[in-house]
């Protein structure tokens, strides 16, 4: 049966079958081809979408806005301070108000329960643009990038280094399990995905012919990896006081040239971005002044090196978010 996602929410990849995820990836590739060929694809002319951002963003916001415009839609951006949400109006009320005006709602913010509540009360599709627990649109861009580099990704291995229990680490474990990609979370025991999610993903992975490895050992973690992935050590919404503890815990998992040399010979480096790979950011400089580290989760050498696919990955955010909006609104 053909995949039909019209009217569906996009809250986390646990809600989607492997066939549905593969369909979104195929649609993304097709929409990317059209964009690069400058073929018009204003399939949703005249529709309107609301973009709620309770946390800041560059890639996700720009992806939703550009994708909406390419599809012929108008997007309204609600910034972290400029709306009533959470202060004067509940998520449930906001959902019902926005459903009267918009055809779809994106939400970036705090607990996954907030986006789930928004979806429960909204009568239009709701898309998760990042919560504390999951970052599902990022996953489509990541797998599309791997497909562009490697072709079929089944049987490949992706290793996440560092803060593996964060939204990106959790989500990578889910998408890899769904698509038959071996996944390794490589970091300290304190920063791993929850035991429940690991168990759930191991069961999904075994149905799809892949494995989930949880390890504190860098050699074991990256051995045979086609993709070495990392993310910042303190995520949005976490207090700055955590930097000292995280640096202590996560420094052994910094992605260096030596770490990359332990992965597969054709391994690529991936990162959702933004990244602290040098001192050219306010936070990067503050951390340097306090702790003396000029680069954090990845060295500048790896970030800027030939194996790095981070900007291709960032560009793929737009094509994949366009696919999610089109598939759920058409
Ligand atoms: N990767 C990502 O979500 O980036 P932004 O925070 O800039 O949206
Ligand atoms: N883990 C990061 C991802 C940013 C795209 C954060 O939540 O800040």
């Amino acid at each position: 049966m053909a995949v039909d996602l019209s009217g569906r929410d996009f809250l986390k990849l646990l809600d989607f079958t492997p066939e549905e995820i593969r369909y979104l990836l195929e649609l993304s590739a097709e929409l990317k081809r059209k964009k690069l060929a400058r073929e018009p694809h204003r399939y949703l002319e005249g529709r309107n979408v609301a973009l709620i951002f309770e946390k800041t963003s560059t890639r996700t916001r720009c992806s939703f806005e550009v994708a909406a415009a390419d599809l012929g839609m108008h997007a309204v951006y609600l910034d972290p301070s400029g709306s009533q949400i959470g202060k004067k109006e509940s998520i449930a009320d906001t959902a019902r108000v926005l459903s009267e005006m918009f055809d779809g709602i994106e939400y970036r913010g705090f607990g996954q329960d907030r986006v789930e509540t928004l979806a429960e009360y909204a009568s239009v599709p709701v898309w998760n643009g990042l919560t504390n627990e999951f970052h599902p649109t990022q996953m489509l861009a990541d797998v599309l990038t791997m497909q562009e580099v490697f072709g079929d990704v089944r049987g490949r291995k992706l290793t996440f280094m560092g803060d593996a229990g964060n939204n990106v680490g959790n989500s990578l474990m889910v998408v890899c399990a769904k698509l038959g990609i071996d996944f390794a979370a490589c970091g300290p025991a304190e920063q791993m995905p929850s035991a429940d999610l690991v168990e759930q993903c191991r069961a999904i992975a075994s149905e799809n012919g892949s494995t989930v490895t949880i390890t504190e050992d860098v050699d074991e973690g990256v051995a045979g990896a086609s993709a070495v992935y990392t993310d910042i050590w303190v995520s949005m919404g976490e207090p700055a006081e955590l930097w000292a503890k995280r640096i202590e815990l996560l420094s052994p998992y910094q992605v260096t040239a030596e770490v990359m040399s332990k992965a597969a010979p054709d391994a690529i480096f991936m990162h959702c971005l933004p990244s602290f790979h040098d001192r050219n950011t306010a936070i990067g400089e503050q951390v340097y002044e306090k702790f003396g580290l000029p680069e954090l989760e990845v060295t500048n050498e790896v970030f800027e090196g030939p194996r790095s696919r981070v900007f291709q990955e960032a560009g793929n955010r737009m094509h994949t978010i366009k696919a999610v909006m089109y598939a759920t609104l058409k």
Side-chain angles (χ1 to χ4, degrees), residues 265-279:
D266 60 350
I268 60 170
F269 170 70
M270 302 182 74
H271 193 310
C272 55
L273 305 182
S275 166
F276 297 122
H277 59 95
D278 59 23
R279 291 167 52 194

Side-chain angles (χ1 to χ4, degrees), residues 93-109:
D93 290 357
T94 302
R96 287 172 288 182
V97 170
L98 296 181
S99 296
E100 294 289 322
M101 304 179 195
F102 293 97
D103 299 286
I105 305 167
E106 179 275 355
Y107 173 85
R108 164 174 286 199

Side-chain angles (χ1 to χ4, degrees), residues 169-243:
N170 284 343
S171 305
L172 284 167
M173 182 167 68
V174 173
V175 81
C176 288
K178 291 271 180 181
L179 297 181
I181 301 167
D182 290 333
F183 175 78
C186 184
E190 293 90 331
Q191 299 301 127
M192 285 296 174
S194 71
D196 282 354
L197 189 62
V198 171
E199 192 186 333
Q200 203 178 351
C201 287
R202 282 197 166 130
I204 297 167
S206 76
E207 283 169 19
N208 297 310
S210 63
T211 57
V212 172
T213 302
I214 302 293
T215 181
E216 294 189 67
D217 184 274
V218 174
D219 288 3
E220 183 195 358
V222 295
S226 294
V228 178
Y229 197 123
T230 192
D231 186 11
I232 52 170
W233 290 343
V234 176
S235 285
M236 289 184 280
E238 293 190 311
E241 293 71 50
L242 279 177
W243 273 109

Side-chain angles (χ1 to χ4, degrees), residues 52-73:
I52 304 171
F53 280 83
E54 295 195 295
K55 291 175 177 171
T56 51
S57 168
T58 296
R59 275 145 293 273
T60 310
R61 175 189 175 177
C62 293
S63 295
F64 272 98
E65 292 209 20
V66 171
D70 285 354
L71 290 167
M73 299 195 288

